[in-house]
Amino acid sequence: QVQLEESGGGSVQAGGSLRLSCAASGYTYCMAWFRQAPGKEREGVARIYIGSGNTDYAGSVKGRFTISRDNAKKTVYLQMNSLKPDDTAMYYCAAGTGGICAFRSDAYRYWGQGTQVTVSS
């Protein structure tokens, strides 16, 4: 069982920055950030292979968001720059241990509670 603890959400004006953190209680193979806005489906934003550090991003955030990890702290970060109102959503950290790293919700067994990000224009 892996527990995930998220932090770092909040409210910011368009163009601003926020950094989300997700601390895991145990081993993970892949970790990702998903987001879900009201009335929309959950979408994958960024993912990272914990071992290699390889990353991947959704097209809507590429060049603005950066996912990184600190293996010693078992923590993954999502640095979000140049935020837009369309980035407003509940952001969820997800972790998988089974060798799959994809932008599919069913690839992740463990989920955090979510942290709200609100970007005003």
Side-chain angles (χ1 to χ4, degrees):
Q1 189 80 6
V2 176
Q3 293 182 329
L4 303 176
E5 184 173 348
E6 301 147 334
S7 61
S11 297
V12 66
Q13 289 192 325
S17 298
L18 285 172
R19 188 175 83 154
L20 307 182
S21 300
C22 176
S25 64
Y27 165 80
T28 58
Y29 174 80
C30 176
M31 292 182 71
W33 289 95
F34 285 74
R35 68 185 181 186
Q36 187 166 21
K40 294 187 177 182
E41 292 187 357
R42 186 173 295 187
E43 63 169 342
V45 174
R47 55 188 168 100
I48 185 166
Y49 289 84
I50 296 303
S52 67
N54 287 344
T55 61
D56 195 15
Y57 299 91
S60 59
V61 306
K62 196 171 292 186
R64 300 188 298 121
F65 291 11
T66 303
I67 189 170
S68 61
R69 93 279 195 225
D70 183 330
N71 286 352
K73 296 181 179 179
K74 294 188 177 69
T75 298
V76 167
Y77 305 97
L78 185 68
Q79 178 67 43
M80 304 184 294
N81 298 330
S82 302
L83 282 161
K84 305 174 181 180
D86 283 350
D87 295 317
T88 295
M90 184 71 79
Y91 282 71
Y92 297 91
C93 177
T97 59
I100 298 174
C101 200
F103 279 144
R104 296 189 342 250
S105 295
D106 62 1
Y108 301 90
R109 181 174 181 181
Y110 304 105
W111 291 83
Q113 298 278 38
T115 184
Q116 179 67 38
V117 170
T118 302
V119 184
S120 58
S121 57

